[in-house]
Amino acid sequence: MTTLETTMPPNPTYPPTTRLHAGPVSLLFSNGDLRHLRVGGIEIVQRIYVAVRDHNWNTIPVRLEDLVIDDYGDHFRITFNAIHQQGDIGFHWQGSVEGEVDGTITTRMDGQADTTFRRNRIGFCILHPASVAGASATLEHSDGSQSRSQFPLLISPHQPFFDLHAIRHVVVPGLEAETRFEGDIFETEDQRNWTDASFKTYSTPLSIPYPVTVEAGTVVRQAVTVRLIGQIPDSTVAGSATQPLTVNVGNEPIATLPALGLGSASHGQPLTEREADALRLLNLDHVRVDLNLSQDDFGATLERAVEDAKAINVSLEIALLVGENAASELVEFSNTFHQLEVDEVARWLLFARNEPVTPIELVEQARPILETLRPGVRVGGGTNLYFTNLNRSRPPVEALDFVCYSINPQVHAFDLISLVENLVAQPMTVESAKAFSADRPIVISPITVRPRSNPDATGPEPEPVAGQLPDAVDVRQPTDFAAGWTLGSLSNLAEAGVASLTYYETTGWRGVMEQEQGSPLPDLFPSQPGQFFPIYHLFAALAPFAGGQLLPVDVSDPLQVAALSLVAGDRQCTVVANLTDQDQRVALYGLRWPVTMQTLGDSAGSIEFDQDQTPLWIDLAPFTLVNLGCGA
């Protein structure tokens, strides 16, 4: 099959950033945010930003005006005006950031509501990186008292720290970083619950009822100060020198590539012959179909999925959402299933409507019925929502054959930097899930770029506006960035030892390729009819290695590069992605020789390296993915 010659939509870019120094502390300033506060190569704070969130936890975007950055080399001052405007919400604030030569950084916001609206949160959020897990911390509370604690190793179901005015944590022996808060009471949640790679300290405790009506003219003032306490070791400063990007591939396999599948297309149209031919080449394990047994049309949805699965020669992952009339709904499903010529069922996923986690009563009701439909097929449950729901309401693992949950990287943040940061938190959810799953396999299904719904809304969501993209659609789906992000996700989750992964959908603007009829809104979602997205080309590169072995890969900077290496028999492939909008030069170690290199989706040929080069240096254009075929 030849690659379609189509014009790809432009890749998204990172927002403009300015690198600054406050004495020994380096950081990035980007659109009002402070990011990656580091001493040498050690990150002490991941991000400081102001969030305005409405009554349904939607984040209101910010626009800066009158930005002035005075950079003096070892200290700086920034001033700007920030405006949050969306729908009936209007809020503005004057911002300032000061960085001193001793490493102290203070950021302030002086805000005021321009309209009357309901909010769940307004104020600073401070993200400590996931790398501080296990670090000891001294907490200062609102009454001035102090207590000793530590950032949790496994993901904490609930807030680990309450009633905060300051957190001081150990950076390295002899050096601590203190983060101090003014203007409200703060508390900390473990954002790894949502695959954010951070611990977030935010203002206004969740114990205070919300949403709250903010009257026009209401003033909000807050400040955050980060300072160093102790002596900075010379070795820490030496570690700040710029190092080349490296990818080291190990020799001994560490895991098996999980079973890979796609979701059935939510647009509801059956696969065309051409689409089926293309998807068959991906050598997938399954297609997931979601059946709401309380709806009358679930039979038609199942029938369409059965035909799609047959067309691309895969089994079905069947997710059943059962309502209050579980007994009658399950019987109706059984009758419908018997009327269809269903081939293979990979697994059953059981969920109860209005329940965060599969109840044991549902498993006990459903298992005998499902066993008659497909003897021996595994029955699993957990949550159709986020890992946090699983972590806070533990599943009845004794009744399940596997435990499942879903992932998306945009619960709290939506920019490219955050999406890349959050990749390292995905395997942390697996580690924590294994701790309470009694050795049951872990199934993650589905993984999507955008959230499929808003489970935390405190009121009804507005109806989709005609001519606008649905909330579950991301214009980055057909870009190289999405493929690079998927590569990072696959690498992290495969190494964590999951059993099965279901990504995205088959076709459409949430899929791996565009429908033959094209995008319903081509001006908003720029793609060509029948276009193969870069995600498709990634799965195509992995297709010959289904069931293959995963080699360990060490990437020197996961914020810039992702990599995955697989072996199957005498074949090996190593896929490397540039996750940034800048050219990158990467040194690769541990490849088998000879090596051929091809840019994913490029039908123009490949580059051959016929002699051992250690390391092999490759140059990656922005957001580019390359496939290195290695060995005989």
Side-chain angles (χ1 to χ4, degrees):
M1 182 177 61
T2 58
T3 302
L4 286 179
E5 297 298 332
T6 60
T7 301
M8 290 301 301
N11 265 300
T13 59
Y14 287 87
T17 59
T18 302
R19 181 170 295 279
L20 299 163
H21 289 83
V25 178
S26 65
L27 70 148
L28 297 176
F29 176 82
S30 175
N31 200 37
D33 298 359
L34 306 183
R35 309 193 76 132
H36 304 313
L37 281 68
R38 290 173 173 164
V39 177
I42 301 174
E43 192 166 66
I44 55 176
V45 174
Q46 185 185 86
R47 186 182 179 193
I48 302 174
Y49 63 100
V50 170
V52 177
R53 307 195 73 178
D54 72 7
H55 65 288
N56 278 342
W57 291 107
N58 296 307
T59 300
I60 311 305
V62 65
R63 182 182 79 255
L64 297 194
E65 295 181 350
D66 305 321
L67 172 63
V68 177
I69 301 176
D70 295 320
D71 182 7
Y72 303 100
D74 59 357
H75 65 288
F76 63 87
R77 177 174 173 78
I78 304 171
T79 57
F80 56 88
N81 291 316
I83 297 95
H84 301 258
Q85 182 69 54
Q86 185 169 282
D88 64 347
I89 295 177
F91 185 84
H92 76 274
W93 50 283
Q94 289 78 49
S96 68
V97 189
E98 296 181 7
E100 308 296 342
V101 294
D102 65 353
T104 300
I105 297 167
T106 301
T107 179
R108 297 180 174 86
M109 63 94 74
D110 187 346
Q112 181 173 308
D114 302 313
T115 62
T116 297
F117 58 91
R118 291 195 302 158
R119 63 84 177 155
N120 285 351
R121 176 173 300 152
I122 296 178
F124 275 115
C125 295
I126 302 90
L127 306 186
H128 283 86
S131 58
V132 303
S136 61
T138 301
L139 313 179
E140 182 178 321
H141 304 289
S142 58
D143 62 0
S145 64
Q146 293 187 351
S147 62
R148 297 285 293 173
S149 187
Q150 71 172 159
F151 288 93
L153 281 170
L154 293 178
I155 300 175
S156 175
H158 302 285
Q159 288 85 344
F161 307 149
F162 294 94
D163 185 27
L164 297 174
H165 268 193
I167 300 175
R168 191 167 75 245
H169 77 277
V170 175
V171 179
V172 293
L175 178 66
E176 294 181 311
E178 179 190 79
T179 308
R180 182 166 293 277
F181 325 109
E182 300 175 29
D184 203 343
I185 303 299
F186 286 71
E187 65 187 23
T188 300
E189 69 184 9
D190 194 335
Q191 283 208 131
R192 298 176 299 171
N193 275 299
W194 298 272
T195 65
D196 295 69
S198 58
F199 299 89
K200 180 171 71 178
T201 302
Y202 53 87
S203 59
T204 312
L206 292 179
S207 58
I208 296 176
Y210 60 86
V212 171
T213 297
V214 178
E215 300 290 345
T218 300
V219 172
V220 180
R221 293 189 180 95
Q222 293 183 5
V224 177
T225 300
V226 179
R227 68 186 182 103
L228 300 175
I229 302 172
Q231 186 68 34
I232 302 174
D234 292 339
S235 58
T236 301
V237 177
S240 63
T242 301
Q243 301 293 326
L245 286 172
T246 60
V247 173
N248 285 276
V249 180
N251 294 319
E252 296 298 325
I254 56 173
T256 300
L257 183 68
L260 298 179
L262 297 172
S264 183
S266 56
H267 55 65
Q269 299 300 311
L271 295 174
T272 67
E273 182 177 354
R274 177 188 176 278
E275 290 167 350
D277 288 344
L279 291 167
R280 198 179 305 119
L281 295 178
L282 299 185
N283 200 16
L284 299 170
D285 175 76
H286 61 271
V287 165
R288 167 173 167 151
V289 58
D290 288 77
L291 303 177
N292 187 338
L293 301 190
S294 300
Q295 296 180 348
D296 294 336
D297 63 349
F298 79 81
T301 301
L302 176 59
E303 183 176 8
R304 185 169 56 251
V306 168
E307 294 305 313
D308 287 351
K310 289 180 179 179
I312 60 178
N313 195 30
V314 298
S315 57
L316 279 175
E317 178 179 83
I318 301 180
L320 301 176
L321 182 63
V322 184
E324 296 178 357
N325 302 314
S328 60
E329 290 179 7
L330 289 166
V331 169
E332 179 66 21
F333 167 72
S334 177
N335 294 336
T336 302
F337 189 91
H338 277 300
Q339 296 171 16
L340 300 174
E341 295 181 2
V342 182
D343 287 342
E344 296 296 324
V345 176
R347 63 192 63 84
W348 306 101
L349 279 62
L350 280 177
F351 307 115
R353 193 171 65 248
N354 300 324
E355 294 283 349
V357 169
T358 308
I360 191 170
E361 295 81 9
L362 176 57
V363 183
E364 292 172 343
Q365 281 184 295
R367 186 180 284 277
I369 295 173
L370 300 179
E371 185 68 21
T372 63
L373 299 179
R374 281 294 183 272
V377 173
R378 290 188 167 189
V379 178
T383 183
N384 201 28
L385 304 173
Y386 307 135
F387 173 78
T388 185
N389 303 94
L390 194 74
N391 202 20
R392 292 176 175 176
S393 303
R394 301 293 170 82
V397 294
E398 69 280 1
L400 300 172
D401 297 325
F402 61 87
V403 172
C404 61
Y405 57 97
S406 73
I407 282 177
N408 83 81
Q410 297 191 70
V411 177
H412 296 113
F414 324 103
D415 60 283
L416 298 190
I417 297 175
S418 295
L419 268 62
V420 172
E421 287 172 346
N422 294 349
L423 286 169
V424 299
Q426 292 187 9
M428 297 177 186
T429 65
V430 178
E431 180 185 9
S432 291
K434 287 181 175 181
F436 58 74
S437 295
D439 295 325
R440 300 300 193 270
I442 304 298
V443 169
I444 303 181
S445 176
I447 302 167
T448 55
V449 177
R450 286 282 295 159
R452 293 169 292 150
S453 62
N454 182 1
D456 299 314
T458 61
E461 292 280 8
E463 290 295 322
V465 178
Q468 292 187 8
L469 292 177
D471 287 341
V473 175
D474 194 310
V475 294
R476 295 171 288 198
Q477 186 84 20
T479 65
D480 289 322
F481 171 81
W485 186 90
T486 305
L487 177 68
S489 172
L490 264 170
S491 178
N492 278 291
L493 293 174
E495 187 168 340
V498 300
S500 176
L501 297 170
T502 304
Y503 283 90
Y504 314 128
E505 296 181 0
T506 51
T507 62
W509 49 21
R510 295 164 63 182
V512 299
M513 60 186 294
E514 185 56 273
Q515 300 179 78
E516 278 195 73
Q517 64 194 56
S519 167
L521 296 171
D523 292 339
L524 298 181
F525 191 90
S527 61
Q528 298 295 321
Q531 176 184 320
F532 301 130
F533 298 161
I535 298 170
Y536 175 91
H537 295 300
L538 170 61
F539 281 107
L542 303 181
F545 296 86
Q549 298 296 298
L550 184 77
L551 294 175
V553 175
D554 179 57
V555 177
S556 62
D557 189 346
L559 294 180
Q560 299 189 67
V561 172
L564 172 71
S565 191
L566 296 166
V567 290
D570 60 356
R571 297 169 299 168
Q572 178 185 357
C573 82
T574 300
V575 185
V576 182
N578 180 357
L579 300 175
T580 77
D581 59 354
Q582 304 294 316
D583 292 332
Q584 301 288 2
R585 193 150 201 258
V586 183
L588 292 107
Y589 296 84
L591 300 181
R592 301 179 184 179
W593 291 88
V595 176
T596 61
M597 183 176 73
Q598 184 173 26
T599 301
L600 289 193
D602 185 357
S603 59
S606 60
I607 300 173
E608 296 185 4
F609 303 90
D610 57 6
Q611 61 181 3
D612 190 344
Q613 301 179 32
T614 304
L616 173 63
W617 289 92
I618 61 173
D619 294 303
L620 297 177
F623 300 115
T624 297
L625 288 84
V626 297
N627 182 16
L628 297 133
C630 308

